[in-house]
Amino acid sequence: MSETLKPIAENNQEQYTRHSPAQEAFRRLLRHRSAQAGMIMLGILVFIAIFAEWIAPYDPIALIKTVKRREPPCVHLLGCPKDKEQHIFGIDGNSRDLFSRVIFGSRLSLQVGLATISFAIIVGGLIGAISGFLGGWVDNIIMRIMDVLMAFPSLLLAIAIVAVLGIGLINALLAIGIVSIPRFARLIRSTVLSVKELDYVQASRALGASPLHILFNRVLPNAISPLIVQGTLGIATAILDAAALSFLGLGAEKPRPEWGLMLGEERNSVFNAPHLVFFPGIAIMFTVLSFNLLGDGLRDVLDPRLRGSTRG
Amino acid sequence: MKHKFYTFMGIILLLSMALAACQPAATPAPEKPAEPTKAPEAPAEPTKAPEAPAAFEGMKVEAPNCDYGGEFKSIEAVDAKTVKFTLCYPDPAFPQKVAFSVFSIQDKEYLDANGGDSVKMSDNVNGTGPYKVKEWKRGDSIIFEANPDYWGEKAKIPTLIFRWSEQSAQRLLELQSGTVDGIDNPAPEDFATIEGDANLKLYPRPALNIFYIGFNNKIKPFDDVNVRKAFAMAIDRQRIVDQFYPEGSRVADVFVPPLLKPGYSEGQKWYDYNPEEAKKLLEQAGYKDGLEVTLSFRNVVRGYLPTPDKVAQEIQAQLKEIGVNVKIEEMESAAFIDATAAGQKGFYLLGWTGDYPDATNFYDYHFANANNLQFGDLFPDVVEALKAAGQTADEAKRQQYYDTANKLIKEYVPMIPVAHGASAVAFKANFEGAHASPLGNEYFAVVSASGVDQLVWMQNGEPAVLWCSDETDGETLRACEQVYETLLAFEVGGVGVEPKLAEKYEANDDATEWVFTLREGVKFFNGATLDANDVVATFVSQWDAKDPNHKGRTTTFEYFGAFFGSFLNAE
């Protein structure tokens, strides 16, 4: 009896305790189905990335001289003879353990996603905020530049930037970051435009707050939630773009275990060694899916207009 | 408001006018150069017609002396059907050299009309071969049709189509699905698939090539012979051949394959794989804490290197074991070749496929060629041995010179010989006469299949032009070989030399004078009859740097330089 009573009592208390909007949103997020799935998948990924050294049985770039290259997977549980070494994803085209490479690839992909989007959010956010807040000809010029950037297909623009900067992972990151800037700039600008006309901002202005104070303390905090949603979804796109660049040989340098590079290198052996493209492909899909699910959940949770539907 | 609207409309109008102005201007542009090419050609025929029955005026081009550094002393049309080459020094390999498709014979008038411009000549191809060019759809395909007036045995299949894809998987897929009838260079790992398929047939191509890892002795740290030696010991060549080459390939110990004798040194071994010793050598050279180098290569599949990026990574991983960090630099094919030849790359993967089956073709281009800076400075004693070997007719004596050269090359390590790669072509099983040539010059006129009137061939790349005097790329040469003919030619699918446009030839005792007698009744596509002046003009267009037809595509005439030394009148 006492056990069933306790939660009710807590519940009653909760109704009266004040939660910050962030806490409130987080609680809703935990209850959201697709966000749950996304977070679990992402949790696994982060775990793998952090503990890659202990999970991966082999060095991802060292040759294993005892096996034939492109050997299919050998899993003892599935009937592979015990006297053979176990390689659960098989051997890649340079006689390296594919499982270890896929595991280490998670590190690179998460880093790529986070780094490019942080860059894009900071630069794009600043540009958008300035543009929306100042308005007038500044706004006009900045937004026209953003329009021009957006007019290019993003991957093509990224390829062009890499071509100018030179091949390499850092340059690829920079390129993807630059390509993602306009999306965030536009987003922030539109929210800033609507927020700055709100009464509390007018009140702050009437009280004599400096424009910088208003921008950073009044306007931006209230424009942050769409940014979080876009950012999460943007990470997924960034990871895909980075994989695409590496696939084309413009991103990560060999022999780095990058999923896109692994796909690109072995695309000719789709028919005679399908495991070599299957596993990195699945890994990319898994990562992108986890960010997309999480992003969807975040949008549902943070958008007040959709809030009613998520409760049920 | 209205004012703004009008300005806007005005701008749109201006823009559209600019666009409209650009377009029609662009279309007639390619037409224009085409017209002048045709124009001089038309009068060329009538001038020729009355000339032929009249007394034949033979051309003769002669070098004032032999000090200019080339092989030719003079080229002379003795009479309408006889050409005489006089050489500055003996050249036993001369027949093999003139049989190479770069020295195909062109009509003199046609050559003059186009100023020897390969690109112009590709628009309106004029040759003597079993196939004519019907249409070249750039970026897509080349369509050949059988030449009805061919002097010899006519092509068996009326239409021949060249297509290309650099993806070996795509080539195989198209062959399996039946959209093409023959493919070049299937990937080694697909050999078993092809052999297991009753509808397909694999034709192994004997190895007449070398894959090597080159060094430039003027670029640090490869200026130190101990570093080069250390690398030579640190690379497990056997493992590379076992892992990345198809059956029939072999580990290379000297620069030429065993097929070439004299040239191949029986019993000479390369450095054994020995990473410990390599480490020691590196330490002695002062690289105790390891070393950073860049390995350049092009990701182009050749018979000598079936999986370039895999081999590059293998070498990277192997060198890591002796503490050398390798950065891999993948380059565009032409840029890579230019950069290595100009001596800008210190450490690179490259290879060579024999053009004519003689050791001079391998050695002289690489180690006795002052124009080729790929290994940095030449080694004078190697040059001396190779030059002596190239001018000796006696085989045993020649072999001795090559043995000396091979020993010196091992000592200096300008490159690490890795493999002689076997490769293959694959055809549908019902095609008769299909073959793989060790020289890479498959000859499609002899291929036939009952009830088939079209042969589609898919190779690695698109030909650059369709007149090959100034070309080195095998994909380009193979297309030219269907259309043009040389004085002598290689046997179909073999390396022996047989008569082609020349019925017979003879040399004097010390191999310095070569006389060729031309075949009767050979007609070019434009109707002109082959005569001795055509032969002289064709050779002179390459030999004489002052000749108005000395143009080609890049005006480097790399093969001529490699085969015959310096140009006449070169600056």
Side-chain angles (χ1 to χ4, degrees):
Chain A
M1 273 304 268
S2 59
E3 273 180 39
T4 45
L5 273 177
K6 219 180 172 186
I8 294 175
E10 264 184 13
N11 246 359
N12 284 341
Q13 240 178 0
E14 249 174 52
Q15 278 185 348
Y16 301 108
T17 40
R18 215 181 80 91
H19 288 289
S20 75
Q23 270 174 324
E24 189 64 18
F26 186 65
R27 273 154 39 91
R28 276 201 301 276
L29 186 67
L30 286 182
R31 266 181 263 143
H32 192 278
R33 274 289 146 74
S34 73
Q36 279 171 354
M39 277 190 291
I40 291 171
M41 289 161 80
L42 196 61
I44 296 173
L45 265 175
V46 170
F47 177 82
I48 289 175
I50 293 174
F51 296 103
E53 258 132 42
W54 290 274
I55 297 172
Y58 295 91
D59 182 342
I61 57 170
L63 304 177
I64 304 171
K65 296 202 171 176
T66 50
V67 294
K68 262 185 66 191
R69 66 200 201 96
R70 296 209 175 110
E71 228 168 52
C74 166
V75 185
H76 288 163
L77 276 176
L78 296 177
C80 177
K82 286 265 186 289
D83 53 332
K84 272 179 88 179
E85 277 180 77
Q86 174 159 282
H87 297 285
I88 62 175
F89 283 4
I91 299 294
D92 85 345
N94 266 84
S95 40
R96 297 171 295 212
D97 182 50
L98 188 65
F99 179 62
S100 309
R101 285 177 72 72
V102 172
I103 292 293
F104 270 91
S106 64
R107 240 180 218 192
L108 221 53
S109 280
L110 290 184
Q111 284 169 356
V112 164
L114 293 176
T116 49
I117 293 307
S118 323
F119 173 81
I121 285 184
I122 292 172
V123 178
L126 267 179
I127 292 177
I130 291 169
S131 161
F133 194 71
L134 292 182
W137 61 270
V138 180
D139 182 31
N140 239 336
I141 290 178
I142 291 180
M143 279 304 121
R144 291 303 81 75
I145 294 173
M146 292 298 128
D147 283 348
V148 169
L149 276 180
M150 272 193 128
F152 289 101
S154 64
L155 193 60
L156 210 61
L157 183 58
I159 290 174
I161 295 173
V162 171
V164 172
L165 294 177
I167 293 165
L169 191 60
I170 299 295
N171 291 342
L173 294 190
L174 208 57
I176 297 167
I178 292 174
V179 169
S180 331
I181 285 175
R183 256 186 297 155
F184 295 103
R186 280 195 152 187
L187 188 77
I188 284 287
R189 173 181 171 266
S190 67
T191 35
V192 166
L193 277 182
S194 62
V195 170
K196 82 171 177 185
E197 301 303 334
L198 291 181
D199 290 345
Y200 70 90
V201 178
Q202 302 294 352
S204 197
R205 190 169 289 147
L207 289 173
S210 75
L212 272 184
H213 176 86
I214 293 175
L215 179 58
F216 284 100
N217 293 343
R218 297 283 172 265
V219 175
L220 276 187
N222 288 289
I224 218 91
S225 64
L227 197 63
I228 292 176
V229 176
Q230 263 308 315
T232 318
L233 293 171
I235 291 178
T237 336
I239 290 176
L240 268 186
D241 280 354
L245 280 183
S246 296
F247 180 89
L248 296 172
L250 299 169
E253 289 119 335
K254 291 158 191 172
R256 274 199 177 199
E258 210 277 342
W259 292 334
L261 184 64
M262 289 154 78
L263 273 183
E265 270 190 86
E266 293 299 341
R267 63 181 184 278
N268 264 339
S269 25
V270 180
F271 298 111
N272 45 43
H275 61 282
L276 293 181
V277 288
F278 179 75
F279 290 115
I282 288 288
I284 294 177
M285 190 215 74
F286 188 80
T287 315
V288 172
L289 187 62
S290 73
F291 277 107
N292 276 342
L293 287 177
L294 183 63
D296 271 355
L298 275 172
R299 194 190 55 212
D300 288 354
V301 166
L302 291 176
D303 190 333
R305 273 159 297 178
L306 293 169
R307 205 169 279 171
S309 59
T310 55
R311 276 256 161 107
Chain B
M1 213 43 210
K2 237 181 189 174
H3 184 68
K4 253 187 189 167
F5 177 73
Y6 283 131
T7 334
F8 179 68
M9 284 313 280
I11 290 172
I12 293 279
L13 200 73
L14 264 175
L15 273 175
S16 56
M17 269 162 65
L19 255 176
C22 285
Q23 256 170 348
T27 359
E31 258 168 55
K32 254 187 189 168
E35 268 174 279
T37 8
K38 252 183 194 163
E41 214 180 302
E45 273 174 82
T47 30
K48 182 141 204 195
E51 209 180 286
F56 177 80
E57 249 179 80
M59 287 172 68
K60 179 173 186 180
V61 178
E62 188 167 17
N65 53 53
C66 282
D67 297 339
Y68 75 100
E71 176 166 330
F72 287 119
K73 174 81 175 68
S74 72
I75 306 176
E76 183 186 3
V78 180
D79 60 50
K81 292 288 157 206
T82 314
V83 188
K84 182 173 162 195
F85 294 87
T86 311
L87 309 182
C88 285
Y89 44 80
D91 185 1
F94 193 70
Q96 277 92 339
K97 287 181 179 176
V98 297
F100 185 46
S101 51
V102 159
F103 306 106
S104 298
I105 305 305
Q106 183 56 275
D107 177 31
K108 180 178 183 301
E109 276 75 19
Y110 178 80
L111 203 59
D112 291 341
N114 289 294
D117 186 328
S118 303
V119 179
K120 265 195 201 169
M121 289 161 84
S122 312
D123 290 339
N124 186 4
V125 174
N126 181 42
T128 57
Y131 279 108
K132 290 174 157 184
V133 177
K134 189 175 173 199
E135 191 186 359
W136 182 1
K137 297 180 185 159
R138 312 247 167 188
D140 178 63
S141 59
I142 301 179
I143 302 168
F144 300 88
E145 58 183 356
N147 175 9
D149 308 320
Y150 185 55
W151 57 268
E153 199 180 325
K154 297 188 173 55
K156 296 210 166 95
I157 295 180
T159 305
L160 167 68
I161 298 175
F162 266 43
R163 290 180 51 207
W164 43 84
S165 163
E166 30 172 74
Q167 305 292 335
S168 58
Q170 191 197 340
R171 290 197 298 274
L172 180 61
L173 204 63
E174 296 229 19
L175 181 68
Q176 285 168 330
S177 64
T179 48
V180 305
D181 305 306
I183 59 169
D184 194 18
N185 283 337
E189 53 266 27
D190 293 329
F191 279 24
T193 320
I194 297 169
E195 278 169 337
D197 190 335
N199 296 323
L200 305 180
K201 192 156 184 243
L202 189 76
Y203 298 87
R205 184 181 276 151
L208 190 73
N209 59 34
I210 171 82
F211 162 56
Y212 60 85
I213 306 170
F215 300 111
N216 188 312
N217 64 19
K218 290 179 89 171
I219 294 178
K220 261 188 178 319
F222 305 109
D223 50 348
D224 185 340
V225 68
N226 280 329
V227 173
R228 304 201 296 265
K229 235 179 236 176
F231 276 43
M233 289 176 185
I235 286 168
D236 186 350
R237 289 143 53 238
Q238 185 68 51
R239 189 181 138 80
I240 293 178
V241 172
D242 288 349
Q243 292 267 330
F244 301 99
Y245 281 79
E247 252 172 82
S249 311
R250 51 183 294 157
V251 174
D253 282 303
V254 300
F255 196 70
V256 300
L259 216 75
L260 291 186
K261 264 189 222 165
Y264 179 78
S265 293
E266 202 72 60
Q268 183 178 316
K269 288 269 161 259
W270 190 250
Y271 298 95
D272 286 328
Y273 174 57
N274 189 346
E276 281 78 40
E277 182 69 26
K279 246 186 208 163
K280 262 184 226 154
L281 273 175
L282 269 192
E283 272 174 33
Q284 280 170 22
Y287 298 102
K288 230 180 193 151
D289 316 321
L291 182 62
E292 293 261 345
V293 297
T294 302
L295 176 63
S296 315
F297 78 107
R298 55 173 179 166
N299 204 352
V300 175
V301 173
R302 286 280 179 271
Y304 56 74
L305 186 52
T307 49
D309 62 327
K310 293 282 168 298
V311 170
Q313 289 186 63
E314 171 77 25
I315 289 166
Q316 181 183 44
Q318 288 191 6
L319 286 174
K320 181 112 201 172
E321 287 170 13
I322 62 159
V324 177
N325 279 328
V326 180
K327 191 176 172 299
I328 293 183
E329 179 192 31
E330 182 179 327
M331 296 180 67
E332 195 271 318
S333 174
F336 171 74
I337 296 295
D338 292 348
T340 48
Q344 292 158 359
K345 296 290 160 195
F347 184 42
Y348 52 89
L349 305 183
L350 197 53
W352 183 260
T353 304
D355 309 304
Y356 61 94
D358 191 90
T360 48
N361 180 227
F362 280 73
Y363 287 118
D364 293 19
Y365 177 80
H366 292 90
F367 304 110
N369 179 356
N371 296 327
N372 179 359
L373 308 175
Q374 69 174 108
F375 300 115
D377 287 332
L378 295 177
F379 303 96
D381 37 1
V382 177
V383 176
E384 196 184 319
L386 291 177
K387 282 257 144 81
Q391 294 169 16
T392 312
D394 180 62
E395 293 207 350
K397 237 179 164 180
R398 233 183 129 191
Q399 184 59 47
Q400 278 177 3
Y401 285 123
Y402 281 129
D403 287 346
T404 319
N406 282 331
K407 268 200 203 94
L408 290 170
I409 288 172
K410 183 180 172 186
E411 205 173 296
Y412 296 141
V413 207
M415 51 86 224
I416 305 169
V418 181
H420 303 299
S423 59
V425 306
F427 268 89
K428 285 186 189 155
N430 59 331
F431 279 81
E432 275 171 46
H435 56 274
S437 162
L439 300 164
N441 57 344
E442 285 73 28
Y443 188 66
F444 297 106
V446 299
V447 179
S448 67
S450 58
V452 172
D453 56 4
Q454 173 174 310
L455 167 64
V456 186
W457 164 256
M458 187 172 240
Q459 55 181 18
N460 294 28
E462 179 169 9
V465 286
L466 287 174
W467 168 244
C468 288
S469 65
D470 191 14
E471 301 305 316
T472 54
D473 175 35
E475 316 293 342
T476 308
L477 296 176
R478 191 183 288 115
C480 286
E481 278 144 8
Q482 315 305 323
V483 180
Y484 300 104
E485 288 175 308
T486 38
L487 288 174
L488 309 172
F490 298 109
E491 294 163 358
V492 173
V495 296
V497 172
E498 59 183 23
K500 199 82 186 188
L501 290 181
E503 255 171 347
K504 57 183 190 332
Y505 65 97
E506 46 198 31
N508 64 351
D509 287 342
D510 66 349
T512 54
E513 278 180 38
W514 295 81
V515 181
F516 293 83
T517 310
L518 301 184
R519 196 176 289 278
E520 293 284 346
V522 176
K523 279 209 184 300
F524 288 95
F525 303 158
N526 67 2
T529 311
L530 172 77
D531 66 24
N533 280 347
D534 296 333
V535 178
V536 177
T538 308
F539 274 89
V540 169
S541 74
Q542 295 198 41
W543 174 35
D544 184 357
K546 288 253 159 67
D547 189 85
N549 297 335
H550 187 78
K551 177 125 197 320
R553 183 165 64 91
T554 59
T555 323
T556 44
F557 294 97
E558 204 167 315
Y559 270 125
F560 185 93
F563 285 15
F564 300 120
S566 305
F567 300 115
L568 185 65
N569 298 322
E571 274 131 36

